[in-house]
């Protein structure tokens, strides 16, 4: 059955810092090679919250540019149903009307040096859903997938808000890939939020000796164990450096995956890594972080690696969600209607009551 597409739709629109409004706006019209999608679920990310508060306010630096343009519909982790597309789009993405589909959060140009080298996630002029006017996001009833987008099918057998978790999970899996985890490794994951739990699941899938989860919340650590952590440490009660050193005969962990965004997690990771260990940084920080760089060089000769988005990891993330191996009902902890977007933002802002908060436009 083909959807009857209305002329207008409800959408959350950014008018500036802490000025998001639910409005009636025109339903977008897909152009050549594009697809119109009816949104089923959209997750609220920490970066959505940062944009809501305003980049300058978030960073404490008035010289930093805003991350999101005004008059933009936010939302970059989502899933929906195809309601309209032309033959060009159908052939490119191998999709049809009625298919459930996700789209990677970046819309690359496919022409810059990074795109030509397969590093599309680092595209120089790139667009991102929900941050720029050219690519409106998913906090709306409908959205358009541009011709340059990367699109993947998702099973119709899983809840929509579970399917939307493919975006943060792909990011987590990319961080795991950057860590080059080996069978005998001791892997430490800092933070048990949406990204950290995905890192734990991805690290466990690599088959290392131990996956250790760090957090200050006991209930999040319990969830980390369900995702694959065989050791959990509440850092408010135990010294993680001492625990890891004791476990490893005084050497330290092989891999440290940082997913908290808290400045203290950086020196913590440097302290508990062994010599020649690997530090993978995924988080975005709200303030500058200062460390003793001699630990990285003279003391330990560490590999310090960044991770950005989830390139080439979306099929694996989707397969992991569809497999049922993850406790998705607990990871996707809270769902709200589109009209309740402010409650959703406030829930994410509190941070200690939820894991993944989603809006369900329907």
């Amino acid at each position: 059955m083909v959807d009857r597409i209305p002329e207008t739709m409800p959408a959350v629109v950014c008018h500036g810092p802490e000025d998001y409004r639910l409005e009636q706006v025109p339903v977008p019209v897909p152009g050549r090679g594009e697809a119109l999608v009816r949104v089923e679920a959209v997750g609220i990310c920490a970066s959505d919250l940062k944009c809501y508060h305003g980049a300058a306010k978030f960073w404490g630096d008035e010289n930093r540019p805003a991350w999101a343009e005004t008059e933009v519909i936010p939302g970059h982790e989502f899933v929906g149903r195809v309601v309209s597309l032309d033959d060009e789009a159908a052939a490119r993405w191998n999709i049809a009307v009625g298919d459930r589909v996700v789209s990677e959060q970046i819309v690359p140009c496919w022409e810059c040096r990074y795109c030509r080298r397969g590093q599309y996630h680092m595209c120089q002029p790139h667009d991102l859903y929900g941050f720029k006017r050219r690519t409106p996001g998913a906090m709306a009833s409908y959205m358009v997938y541009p011709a340059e987008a990367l699109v993947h099918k998702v099973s119709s057998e899983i809840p929509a808000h579970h399917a939307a978790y493919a975006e943060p999970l792909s990011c987590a899996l990319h961080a795991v890939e950057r860590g080059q985890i080996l069978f005998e490794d001791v892997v430490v994951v800092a933070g048990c939020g949406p990204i950290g739990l995905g890192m734990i699941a991805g690290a466990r899938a690599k088959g290392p000796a131990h996956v250790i989860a760090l957090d200050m919340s006991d209930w999040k650590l319990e969830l980390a164990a369900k995702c694959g952590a065989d050791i959990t440490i509440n850092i408010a009660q135990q010294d993680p450096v001492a625990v890891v050193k004791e476990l490893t005969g005084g050497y330290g962990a092989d891999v440290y995956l940082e997913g908290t965004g808290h400045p203290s997690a950086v020196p913590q990771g440097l302290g508990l890594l062994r010599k020649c260990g690997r530090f993978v940084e995924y988080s975005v920080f709200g303030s500058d972080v200062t460390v003793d760089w001699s630990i990285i060089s003279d003391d330990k000769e560490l590999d310090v690696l960044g991770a950005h988005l989830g390139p080439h990891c979306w099929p694996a993330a989707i397969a992991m969600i569809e497999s049922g191996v993850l406790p998705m009902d607990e990871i996707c902890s809270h769902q709200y209607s589109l009209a309740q977007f402010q409650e959703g933002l406030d829930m994410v802002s509190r941070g200690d009551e939820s894991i993944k908060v989603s809006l369900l436009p329907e």
Side-chain angles (χ1 to χ4, degrees):
M1 178 178 177
V2 178
D3 278 18
R4 178 185 175 277
I5 303 170
E7 294 184 357
T8 63
M9 64 178 183
V12 178
V13 180
C14 167
H15 290 277
E18 300 181 1
D19 187 9
Y20 282 25
R21 309 172 199 168
L22 186 66
E23 301 176 354
Q24 282 293 126
V25 302
V27 171
V29 178
R32 178 179 174 181
E34 299 182 334
L36 180 66
V37 174
R38 175 171 48 81
V39 180
E40 292 183 305
V42 52
I44 301 178
C45 175
S47 61
D48 291 319
L49 189 66
K50 180 173 67 176
C51 289
Y52 171 73
H53 288 303
K57 177 177 178 180
F58 179 88
W59 286 100
D61 181 355
E62 297 297 330
N63 295 318
R64 278 186 182 267
W67 274 41
E69 297 174 352
T70 56
E71 312 303 321
V72 171
I73 299 170
H76 63 275
E77 48 185 69
F78 49 79
V79 67
R81 297 275 182 178
V82 179
V83 297
S84 176
L85 79 171
D86 60 16
D87 291 341
E88 181 181 327
R92 183 193 312 110
W93 296 320
N94 188 30
I95 61 175
V97 169
D99 284 346
R100 172 181 273 178
V101 286
V102 293
S103 180
E104 299 193 23
Q105 65 281 75
I106 191 168
V107 181
C109 73
W110 299 114
E111 296 178 357
C112 71
R113 64 182 296 182
Y114 300 110
C115 286
R116 293 198 305 269
R117 293 178 177 180
Q119 299 167 317
Y120 66 87
H121 64 303
M122 301 305 298
C123 173
Q124 187 80 351
H126 69 278
D127 286 309
L128 284 168
Y129 290 108
F131 294 92
K132 298 184 179 181
R133 295 188 189 96
R134 200 185 86 82
T135 47
M139 292 187 187
S141 295
Y142 294 88
M143 66 184 300
V144 165
Y145 290 179
E148 300 84 4
L150 295 108
V151 177
H152 308 275
K153 292 181 185 178
V154 187
S155 170
S156 296
E157 301 303 313
I158 60 176
H161 53 289
H162 292 187
Y165 183 64
E167 193 275 345
L169 182 55
S170 70
C171 295
L173 296 185
H174 177 51
V176 169
E177 294 277 77
R178 294 281 281 164
Q180 304 168 51
I181 295 169
L182 303 175
F183 292 129
E184 70 273 17
D185 282 347
V186 172
V187 181
V188 176
V189 177
C192 297
I195 297 294
L197 293 174
M199 289 174 174
I200 290 165
R204 172 49 59 203
K206 293 289 185 178
H210 295 288
V211 178
I212 303 173
L214 310 182
D215 205 282
M216 297 179 69
S217 168
D218 286 333
W219 71 269
K220 288 184 179 180
L221 289 169
E222 291 175 5
L223 186 51
K226 295 180 182 181
C227 290
D230 58 291
I231 299 172
T232 60
I233 301 173
N234 186 322
I235 63 171
Q237 302 170 8
Q238 293 178 282
D239 177 5
V241 176
V243 174
V244 171
K245 289 290 182 69
E246 182 178 359
L247 177 70
T248 58
Y251 288 102
D254 301 279
V255 181
Y256 181 81
L257 307 177
E258 202 292 297
T260 70
H262 195 284
S264 65
V266 178
Q268 172 182 267
L270 298 180
L272 59 75
L273 278 171
R274 64 162 171 83
K275 294 179 180 180
C276 298
R278 297 179 294 283
F279 186 118
V280 180
E281 181 55 64
Y282 190 86
S283 297
V284 176
F285 293 90
S287 59
D288 292 341
V289 179
T290 301
V291 298
D292 180 358
W293 276 78
S294 62
I295 298 173
I296 297 168
S297 57
D298 187 52
D299 291 357
K300 293 188 176 182
E301 194 177 280
L302 299 176
D303 290 337
V304 179
L305 305 164
H308 178 59
L309 303 187
H312 311 292
C313 291
W314 282 72
I318 292 167
M320 185 176 285
I321 294 169
E322 292 176 345
S323 74
V325 70
L326 295 175
M328 290 303 303
D329 285 333
E330 294 177 75
I331 293 173
C332 298
S333 58
H334 293 77
Q335 295 82 50
Y336 295 95
S337 70
L338 196 62
Q340 296 171 305
F341 75 91
Q342 188 65 58
E343 294 177 51
L345 287 166
D346 292 343
M347 175 64 73
V348 176
S349 183
R350 288 193 292 272
D352 58 351
E353 302 173 32
S354 63
I355 302 293
K356 173 50 61 183
V357 177
S358 305
L359 302 179
L360 308 181
E362 293 185 308

